[in-house]
Amino acid sequence: MTTTQQPPPPPPRPPHGPGPSGHGNGGHGHGHSHSHGPAAPVSRHLRKVIAAILVPFSVAVVVGLAVLWPGGAPAHERTGVGFDRQTQQATVTKVDKVACASVNASGETPTGDTSTAEGSSAQQQATGTCGKASIRIDTGKDTGRTFTEVVQPDSPRQLHGGQQVIVAYAPDAPENLQYSVTDVNRKFPMALLAGIFAVVVVVVGRLRGIMALVALAVSFLVLTLFILPAILQGSNPLVVAVVGASAIMLIALYMCHGLTARTSVAVLGTLVSLLLIGLLGSLFIGWAALTGNTDDNTGLIHGLYPHIDMSGLLLAGVIIGSLGVLDDVTVTQTSAVWELHEADPTMGWRGLYRAGIRIGRDHIASVVNTLVLAYAGAALPLLLLFSIAQSSVVDVANSELVAEEIVRTLVGSIGLVAAVPVTTALAALVVSADRPESRKLAPPASARGGRGRRRKR
């Protein structure tokens, strides 16, 4: 009877022999060196190999951040167009209902065809009831000043008393036309929704959830303090995106999942996939002659900063947009392979790869569908316009506005699909690279189950 029943709390680690019968761990005489729980199932030598790859890469990212750091966005004269306007917060104090004919510039009843959208709108503006809103400026040098704005009956945004709004300020306009309502102030509901999101993440994720929120905040800071200002300063958008995305990847993954070999494998898988996305994106954006200048916002950017390479900006968006989903794929695949190895330490790397890739195929199907539907949902109004025009699928796909989204979706999806076998193979090779050392960790794992005190051999 060799069971050493030692009731005193925190016993040093109950000695239970060389390991379970039938497996021959080769752990004879090594039980004393693993008394603080399971370590990473890779050898120290292999961890040094991983570090030899990732440390120079991390140093290069830090150097890139230092060299390209912009120090803030460059100043420019406001054009007063689109988002490039001075804005203030305001409140709608009251809205009076008046006849449109008394407040519109022309009160004449239209005599043309009112079956069209333009004719119907003109009819309503001539004979309908409009809103005459009184609006008070709440911020800026004109705080307390009021102005009126007429709201047409067919306007998509109707105002009501007490509503918080955003107004644009045009200093060069006549005094009675300097202010105009541009949008609703929706900061409070947006902040409340963000707060609910943070609470849900922390309640469900606990410490991991907190770290995920911190990583999200850091990612946002990298985006707003480095990537956007550096592009505006004239740096190459692709280089800026690669450096910024790499920084976000390193910070987010290691902060959320720890400085471990498992996380390092996910980083390597993400890095390889990002490289593939960058190469494919550069090739097909150039081949398809996509300019990246397809709407009013990109046109305004190009007008204000003509030195920015808009096609490079498009490629940078593809890389940054793919990063978030890539992290999910690589971390999931790496964790799956690690758990498979924990369940069966005798499984070789080929067996681990085959089992992991079966999990990955399910992941591929769901992720690709998610990406396509996400882009389709964002472009739904545009697709609806093409449907109304009864354009053929070929004509729709050939337009630059849609072609950009197609290239963005397909290039990102190829990178995501490739991330599964690449990350699975890396994880299988790493986790099974030092089988004897990983097997030495089996006895402490079984000891935690409390079966050691029953063992009599």
Side-chain angles (χ1 to χ4, degrees):
M1 302 287 290
T2 60
T3 54
T4 55
Q5 308 231 351
Q6 297 184 356
R13 174 153 326 252
H16 46 264
S21 60
H23 285 287
N25 316 20
H28 313 286
H30 291 281
H32 63 279
S33 62
H34 301 285
S35 59
H36 47 271
V42 295
S43 66
R44 179 174 300 177
H45 172 71
L46 197 53
R47 289 197 292 273
K48 288 181 179 179
V49 171
I50 296 173
I53 299 172
L54 289 180
V55 169
F57 170 70
S58 303
V59 171
V61 170
V62 173
V63 171
L65 287 171
V67 171
L68 297 174
W69 193 264
H76 71 278
E77 291 292 332
R78 289 189 178 273
T79 62
V81 178
F83 288 102
D84 194 38
R85 293 178 288 188
Q86 299 182 46
T87 58
Q88 301 294 343
Q89 299 179 35
T91 303
V92 180
T93 55
K94 65 176 181 176
V95 178
D96 298 322
K97 297 297 182 180
V98 297
C100 289
S102 66
V103 292
N104 287 337
S106 174
E108 298 179 2
T109 303
T111 57
D113 183 10
T114 58
S115 62
T116 64
E118 294 83 359
S120 176
S121 177
Q123 178 74 23
Q124 291 185 56
Q125 292 180 22
T127 62
T129 301
C130 293
K132 188 176 181 181
S134 297
I135 300 165
R136 183 188 68 243
I137 309 298
D138 295 332
T139 59
K141 64 182 183 65
D142 292 326
T143 298
R145 176 178 166 181
T146 60
F147 70 96
T148 59
E149 180 159 315
V150 175
V151 182
Q152 302 297 334
D154 59 341
S155 173
R157 181 174 56 241
Q158 297 293 318
L159 302 179
H160 57 81
Q163 188 175 22
Q164 303 294 313
V165 294
I166 302 296
V167 296
Y169 173 58
D172 297 332
E175 186 175 356
N176 62 330
L177 299 176
Q178 286 182 333
Y179 286 97
S180 61
V181 177
T182 61
D183 209 344
V184 173
N185 189 340
R186 50 183 68 91
K187 293 179 182 178
F188 177 74
M190 297 292 285
L192 179 60
L193 181 60
I196 294 173
F197 164 75
V199 169
V200 170
V201 170
V202 171
V203 169
V204 177
R206 299 187 180 180
L207 181 59
R208 287 289 180 90
I210 294 174
M211 298 308 295
L213 291 177
V214 174
L216 179 62
V218 172
S219 300
F220 183 75
L221 289 175
V222 172
L223 182 65
T224 55
L225 298 181
F226 171 71
I227 295 177
L228 299 180
I231 292 174
L232 291 177
Q233 290 281 13
S235 300
N236 186 296
L238 177 58
V239 176
V240 171
V242 169
V243 173
S246 299
I248 290 173
M249 173 186 67
L250 291 171
I251 294 170
L253 287 180
Y254 283 119
M255 185 174 288
C256 293
H257 305 286
L259 192 64
T260 63
R262 180 190 302 198
T263 308
S264 298
V265 171
V267 169
L268 287 174
T270 305
L271 184 60
V272 172
S273 302
L274 279 179
L275 180 62
L276 177 62
I277 289 173
L279 292 174
L280 285 176
S282 179
L283 172 64
F284 282 94
I285 286 174
W287 196 0
L290 299 177
T291 63
N293 191 359
T294 53
D295 57 23
D296 293 340
N297 293 326
T298 53
L300 178 60
I301 293 171
H302 186 63
L304 292 173
Y305 301 95
H307 58 273
I308 293 179
D309 178 10
M310 299 304 293
S311 60
L313 188 63
L314 173 62
L315 179 57
V318 172
I319 292 173
I320 294 173
S322 302
L323 178 62
V325 189
L326 266 179
D327 288 352
D328 172 53
V329 171
T330 54
V331 169
T332 301
Q333 285 304 114
T334 305
S335 297
V337 172
W338 243 261
E339 294 303 322
L340 288 168
H341 178 76
E342 289 289 326
D344 185 3
T346 64
M347 191 183 299
W349 81 266
R350 289 184 178 84
L352 287 170
Y353 177 80
R354 285 194 293 267
I357 205 68
R358 284 195 294 270
I359 298 172
R361 290 191 186 107
D362 291 336
H363 206 180
I364 286 172
S366 61
V367 165
V368 169
N369 199 40
T370 299
L371 262 186
V372 172
L373 291 180
Y375 284 125
L380 202 56
L382 176 65
L383 297 177
L384 189 59
L385 284 177
F386 281 113
S387 178
I388 292 171
Q390 297 183 348
S391 302
S392 68
V393 175
V394 175
D395 292 337
V396 171
N398 189 64
S399 67
E400 184 172 0
L401 200 56
V402 176
E404 278 189 6
E405 299 304 322
I406 292 175
V407 170
R408 193 194 312 268
T409 303
L410 295 182
V411 167
S413 297
I414 291 171
L416 290 173
V417 171
V420 171
V422 168
T423 309
T424 305
L426 286 172
L429 286 170
V430 169
V431 80
S432 60
D434 196 324
R435 197 190 306 267
E437 185 171 329
S438 64
R439 285 184 184 180
K440 285 184 286 187
L441 304 173
S446 63
R448 290 197 307 271
R451 291 177 296 176
R453 63 176 180 264
R454 290 182 163 187
R455 198 169 286 124
K456 302 190 178 190
R457 302 182 273 166

